[in-house]
Amino acid sequence: MRPWDTIILGAGAAGLFCAAQAGQRGLRVLLIDHTERVAEKVRISGGGRANFTNRDLDPAAPHKHFLGANPHFCRSALARFTPQDIVALLDRYGVPWHEKHKGQLFCDRSARDLIDALLAECDAASAQGGLVERWQPCAVQRVEFQARSASSPDMAGAGSYHVHSDRGVVSAPALVVATGGLSIPKIGASGLGFELARQFGLRLVPTRPGLVPLTFGGDAWAPYAGLAGLALPVLIATGEKKQRTQFHEDLLFTHRGLSGPAVLQISSYWQPGAPLTIDLAPGIDLAAALREAKAAGARRLVARELAQWLPARLAEAFCADDPALQRPLTEAPDKALARLAERLQRWQLTPSGTEGYAKAEVTVGGVDTRDLSSQTLEARQQPGLYFIGEVVDVTGWLGGYNFQWAWASAHACAEALGQAAEARRAGDPLS
């Protein structure tokens, strides 16, 4: 068998980049993935153009853009591989990119350019005395750990991991779990990473879909079902007091509920049974605007007058269930207009659920960061076992933050793998 330094499970963003970085540190790396296509989630992300990072990320304050039981856990890794670093890598390969709003960076042509750059980085390992070999598709049946005996002359390593796959059994002193979360199962998402965490005694933060559309069941949604396809900027919030979180983004009505960046963002913070509060006209005082229009003698129907500030279909839907609003603005009662303005700017509704992992962009929760080193991503009680990327309880906002966590956690892990390999070789010339 080839003497591998590291086996990495998962050929997504984190696994592929970690393999490249470790290989370029002179390590012999085997990258295994059960799916046929490499980095499929990267390929479909950002509308096929991969929102690969975000310029607005502040490594010193990760809690601004990341959530988890301990959002500060990712500070060390994010500080050591920044958005500027991934931009520099793409520039080196001549990959054109552009910035959209709020610091979001996308490939100009296709996410395939990003994937090709990552694969080229893996190939570049050979020039540094390393090797990256990829087995794909290759299913993993089980993983075993064999500790070194106390009489072993090499005490720099704790043992070896034996991966039983449909291409045979392979072993290495280090195992990196980069298998992602449960989101988008149709492209191969699985719970393997969480199963391995349990097997080796690591705790798990309960998982749930994140960056996911929200659904509303029953008759309560009937008045809004006809608005499917309508989009508009809103201010959306959930939670109380210190737990309150809000976003100013675009909202999209769907047949089953709400989507769009505003809803995807808030979904990662929303808790079942909690209400959402939505301002459908942020920056506008609708109550005052309606009073002024009425005082000026506006003769149009309330809904048509309201369409100055809101999409006409939305204005009509919110006026349709109140007879007092089915008349010219000058004839509408002041109280009815005040209720309408309040409802539009403090629209409260409680989702019945989400579209689930099938439509979720990420998985919230995962391997408990208390059981991992923030410097190396190595399991505290299981030497040589690392968890990186989405499988960890670190979830970023929409807009490139999750990809940046993938790059940063992979880079931190690869640094640690290189140092561990040096220590093993120093302890055993034959290792």
Side-chain angles (χ1 to χ4, degrees), residues 9-352:
L9 304 182
L16 199 57
F17 190 54
C18 186
Q21 291 286 299
Q24 291 182 30
R25 286 169 169 78
L27 274 64
R28 301 173 298 257
V29 181
L30 177 61
L31 181 60
I32 299 176
D33 197 296
H34 71 286
T35 62
E36 188 171 344
R37 303 179 71 165
V38 65
E40 181 67 355
K41 196 170 183 182
V42 176
R43 187 187 69 81
I44 67 172
S45 67
R49 292 189 176 181
N51 179 194
F52 59 88
T53 193
N54 195 297
R55 283 195 189 277
D56 292 345
L57 187 149
D58 181 0
H63 63 283
K64 291 181 179 179
H65 299 116
F66 292 87
L67 64 148
N70 177 17
H72 294 282
F73 171 84
C74 55
R75 179 186 290 120
S76 174
L78 292 171
R80 285 180 285 151
F81 194 86
T82 67
Q84 290 71 31
D85 292 316
I86 191 65
V87 166
L89 186 149
L90 294 187
D91 286 347
R92 194 164 73 245
Y93 283 96
V95 175
W97 52 270
H98 60 278
E99 181 173 346
K100 288 191 176 179
H101 74 304
K102 299 189 176 181
Q104 300 170 10
L105 304 189
F106 290 77
C107 297
D108 279 0
R109 297 185 299 239
S110 166
R112 186 70 222 184
D113 288 344
L114 171 58
I115 297 170
D116 288 344
L118 295 174
L119 291 172
E121 282 288 279
C122 289
D123 293 340
S126 59
Q128 307 298 325
L131 170 70
V132 176
E133 185 169 321
R134 181 161 50 92
W135 287 3
Q136 200 173 5
C138 178
V140 172
Q141 279 99 39
R142 68 182 189 278
V143 174
E144 298 170 343
F145 175 72
Q146 183 177 355
R148 289 188 184 273
S149 65
S151 60
S152 171
D154 175 18
M155 296 308 293
S160 59
Y161 292 87
H162 303 283
V163 177
H164 296 252
S165 78
D166 57 13
R167 295 198 191 186
V169 181
V170 286
S171 301
L175 178 68
V176 180
V177 181
T179 50
L182 300 170
S183 52
I184 320 182
K186 69 179 180 181
I187 62 169
S190 76
L192 176 61
F194 304 135
E195 294 168 13
L196 290 173
R198 292 190 193 95
Q199 176 183 333
F200 290 103
L202 281 75
R203 291 168 287 188
L204 292 175
V205 174
T207 58
R208 55 189 173 86
L211 301 182
V212 63
L214 298 174
T215 58
F216 300 82
D219 296 338
W221 188 247
Y224 314 108
L227 296 175
L230 181 67
L232 73 161
V234 303
L235 187 65
I236 189 169
T238 192
E240 298 292 335
K241 297 180 180 179
K242 290 184 178 181
Q243 300 302 315
R244 186 174 177 82
T245 303
Q246 66 179 25
F247 292 95
H248 191 173
E249 289 277 8
D250 286 351
L251 174 145
L252 172 68
F253 284 83
T254 71
H255 290 291
R256 289 167 48 84
L258 297 173
S259 188
V263 171
L264 299 186
Q265 292 279 45
I266 208 71
S267 71
S268 295
Y269 294 86
W270 174 73
Q271 296 295 327
L276 302 175
T277 301
I278 303 176
D279 181 350
L280 293 164
I284 300 171
D285 186 341
L286 284 180
L290 288 171
R291 284 197 304 270
E292 291 172 7
K294 181 178 179 179
R299 294 293 306 167
R300 290 185 295 186
L301 293 174
V302 174
R304 294 196 61 188
E305 193 68 38
L306 197 58
Q308 295 181 70
W309 308 288
L310 293 168
R313 287 167 61 200
L314 184 69
E316 290 170 3
F318 272 75
C319 292
D321 60 353
D322 188 346
L325 300 174
Q326 306 299 309
R327 59 185 71 182
L329 181 64
T330 52
E331 299 175 16
D334 290 343
K335 288 184 177 180
L337 294 175
R339 284 197 306 270
L340 174 63
E342 173 72 9
R343 186 177 167 206
L344 286 164
Q345 301 212 266
R346 287 191 54 81
W347 187 29
Q348 287 212 335
L349 64 170
T350 302
S352 58

